[in-house]
């Protein structure tokens, strides 16, 4: 009922807007800088003091939490953000992969083979191929790989030792100087993920320290963009790939206690383990199924649809999904006090998104979007025709200044308002009518009295 009203209102109002004709002028295209602070859990924003980020948000938009893609790991989610595709569709299904046909292996230290990336085309490539523009990248996963035989015009080879300042210097320099112009740029930083793994997100003191550093990085980026005179004309999105949860040495699932290693290859470890059985899949499955009550064991064809994690041969025949906070090992002990990768429905796995710039509204907050929705929004801002993707542009309309947006509470308000006005008008009309007929207030009664003698 409410959604029907909303729909009618949207039609009505978009009709009005259509008359104004909101064709964006792509000649005056704005630049877009996409920044990721790895492992920035959504609720860090509520629980820690982050003055520079808060200031950025007050003058821009905030999406309180972003529903990311399963599995909630770094490479897969960074690729979902820049392609708008679920992992099964863009092909980076994990940080550790194995392709049975080619016998190729992928890991974060061996990620340069285009074979793994070519199932999708990220936005930095499309930006260069559709228009006479350039892209620049400071270490976003995949930006130092030739995808569709193309590299970002400016890029840095991945090297975690390169400081944030050096990455920022390069990216702002590229954004400032270039003909044709650099219109799309990415910037990646490893924190607060690294500290989240090391200390666990429950370690408030250490997380406070690292988040203060991250906030200072945001402050110096804003300062730098202002000094170059870019700040007012550039759109900046600050987001992340996933959150983080606390692990514990008491929460270990030890596979060696359940199944001999000769039965399978462990392609990916934890908290989503990818299992390639050697010979007998059913045998391996049965042993694993009975291994721990703190993990789900799925044959590939049983993986729940909501994960959108099935249609790719790089997804192994059996996957194990640990419950929140549990760690899967073959033997041995816990190495990380914090981890991510778990079910993408868990709030602890969600990152946030904030954005600022001429394309965005000011002081607007929204509960949630999906991370695949970011891609069509970025294409809209850059005036690019999106590649086929799994995002929904309308989910992000309320964030954008050039889009008409009504959210549910507002539309309920409008409907109630319209009803009140109609009721008032009706009342007024009735009162007016009564006033007009007031000289004979009891005419009907009189008529009835008059009737009697006739019947009698
Ligand atoms: C790949 O690159 C070619 C040009 O080299 C381009 O025509 C084509 O559209 C690109 N494919 C995709 C899917 O982006
Ligand atoms: C990575 O960066 C550091 C610091 O700039 C440098 O010393 C080192 O040589 C770089 N490593 C590679 C492989 O380029
Ligand atoms: C940035 O670009 C402007 C305009 O082209 C130029 O005046 C300025 O020197 C540039 N700054 C840097 C640091 O490259
Ligand atoms: C498979 O696992 C079972 C149960 O742990 C074990 O007895 C057997 O030796 C294993 N087979 C191989 C080939 O490792
Ligand atoms: C595979 O294992 C199952 C269960 O242990 C068993 O019933 C079946 O016979 C085995 N199949 C083969 C081909 O070994
Ligand atoms: C499952 O595990 C329980 C003990 O945890 C054991 O008693 C039972 O035999 C196992 N079942 C199978 C099918 O391995
Ligand atoms: C784990 O397994 C490896 C290989 O079988 C073995 O060398 C190592 O000692 C084991 N570690 C523990 C803690 O059991
Ligand atoms: C995601 O998008 C791709 C490309 O359009 C499509 O092939 C795939 O079916 C979509 N996935 C879902 C779950 O809709
Ligand atoms: Zn990450």
């Amino acid at each position: 009922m409410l959604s029907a009203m909303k729909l009618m209102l949207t039609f009505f109002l978009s009709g009005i807007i259509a008359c104004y004709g909101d064709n964006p002028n792509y000649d005056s295209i704005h630049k877009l800088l996409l920044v990721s602070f790895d492992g920035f859990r959504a609720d860090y924003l509520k629980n820690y003091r982050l003055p520079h980020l808060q200031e950025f948000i007050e003058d821009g938009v905030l999406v309180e939490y972003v529903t990311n893609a399963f599995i909630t790991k770094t490479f897969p989610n960074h690729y979902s953000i820049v392609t708008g595709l679920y992992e099964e569709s863009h092909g980076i299904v994990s940080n550790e992969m194995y392709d049975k046909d080619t016998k190729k292996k992928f890991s974060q230290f061996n990620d340069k083979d285009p074979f793994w990336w070519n199932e999708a085309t990220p936005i930095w490539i499309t930006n260069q191929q559709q228009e006479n523009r350039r892209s620049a990248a400071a270490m976003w996963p995949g930006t130092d790989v030739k995808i569709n035989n193309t590299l970002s015009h400016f890029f840095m080879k991945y090297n975690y030792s390169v400081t944030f300042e050096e990455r920022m210097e390069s990216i702002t320099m590229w954004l400032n100087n270039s003909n044709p112009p650099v219109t799309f740029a990415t910037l990646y930083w490893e924190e607060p993920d690294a500290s989240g793994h090391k200390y666990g997100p429950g370690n408030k003191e250490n997380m406070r320290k690292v988040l203060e550093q991250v906030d200072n990085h945001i402050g110096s980026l804003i300062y730098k963009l202002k000094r170059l005179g870019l700040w007012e004309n550039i759109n900046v999105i600050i987001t992340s790939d996933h959150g983080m949860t606390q692990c514990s040495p008491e929460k270990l699932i030890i596979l060696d206690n359940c199944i001999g290693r000769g039965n399978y290859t462990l392609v990916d470890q934890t908290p989503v383990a990818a299992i390639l059985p050697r010979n007998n899949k059913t045998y391996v499955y049965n042993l694993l199924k009975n291994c721990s009550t703190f993990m789900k064991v799925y044959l590939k064809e049983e993986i729940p649809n909501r994960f959108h994690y099935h249609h790719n041969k790089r997804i192994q025949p059996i996957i194990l999904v640990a419950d929140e906070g549990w760690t899967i090992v073959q033997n041995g002990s816990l190495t990380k006090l914090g981890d991510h990768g778990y079910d993408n429905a868990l709030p602890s796995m969600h990152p946030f998104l904030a954005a600022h710039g001429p394309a965005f509204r000011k002081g607007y907050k929204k509960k949630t979007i999906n991370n695949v929705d970011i891609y069509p929004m970025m294409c809209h801002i850059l005036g690019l025709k999106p590649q086929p993707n799994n995002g929904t542009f309308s989910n992000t309309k309320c964030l954008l200044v050039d889009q008409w947006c009504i959210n549910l509470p507002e539309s309920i308000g409008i409907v109630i308002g319209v009803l009140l006005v109609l009721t008032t008008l009706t009342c007024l009309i009735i009162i007016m009518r009564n006033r007009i007929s007031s000289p004979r207030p009891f005419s009907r009664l009189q008529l009835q009295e008059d009737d009697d003698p006739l019947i009698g």
Side-chain angles (χ1 to χ4, degrees), residues 52-60 222 231 236 238 354-356:
H52 293 113
L53 183 53
Q54 289 298 355
E55 206 184 312
F56 179 90
I57 289 166
E58 271 158 33
D59 204 25
I222 294 170
W231 179 244
V236 181
I238 300 177
H356 179 284

Side-chain angles (χ1 to χ4, degrees), residues 256 261 331-333:
D256 284 357
R261 290 186 188 187
N331 65 358
S333 54

Side-chain angles (χ1 to χ4, degrees), residues 94-213:
S94 175
N95 289 349
E96 314 274 331
M97 295 187 278
Y98 174 69
D99 183 74
K100 213 176 158 193
D101 300 339
T102 57
K103 305 239 179 329
K104 286 184 178 193
K105 285 182 184 163
F106 176 95
S107 77
Q108 58 192 112
F109 309 106
N110 174 28
D111 65 346
K112 300 291 184 284
D113 187 341
F115 166 78
W116 299 103
W117 303 89
N118 273 335
E119 290 187 5
T121 309
I123 189 167
W124 64 82
I125 306 287
T126 304
N127 185 49
Q128 293 184 160
Q129 289 184 337
Q130 273 185 21
E131 304 288 336
N132 184 26
R133 298 178 193 153
R134 285 175 178 174
S135 302
M139 301 198 185
W140 190 282
T143 47
D144 52 2
V145 182
K146 259 194 178 174
I147 302 172
N148 192 19
N149 210 27
T150 312
L151 274 165
S152 182
H153 185 86
F154 297 106
F155 72 97
M156 300 171 98
K157 267 204 153 61
Y158 182 69
N159 178 349
Y160 62 83
S161 305
V162 173
T163 63
F164 184 83
E165 284 69 25
E166 288 175 71
R167 300 179 197 193
M168 185 181 75
E169 283 299 324
S170 301
I171 208 74
T172 49
M173 183 184 69
W174 292 330
L175 275 166
N176 191 50
N177 313 307
S178 174
N179 188 23
V182 168
T183 48
F184 179 75
T186 58
L187 172 58
Y188 169 82
W189 183 240
E190 286 82 356
E191 291 283 17
D193 181 74
S195 298
H197 282 303
K198 188 173 172 193
Y199 305 110
N203 186 328
K204 295 270 156 43
E205 189 46 32
N206 279 303
M207 290 316 292
R208 189 189 58 73
K209 278 184 197 152
V210 70
L211 287 165
E212 195 176 294
Q213 285 166 14

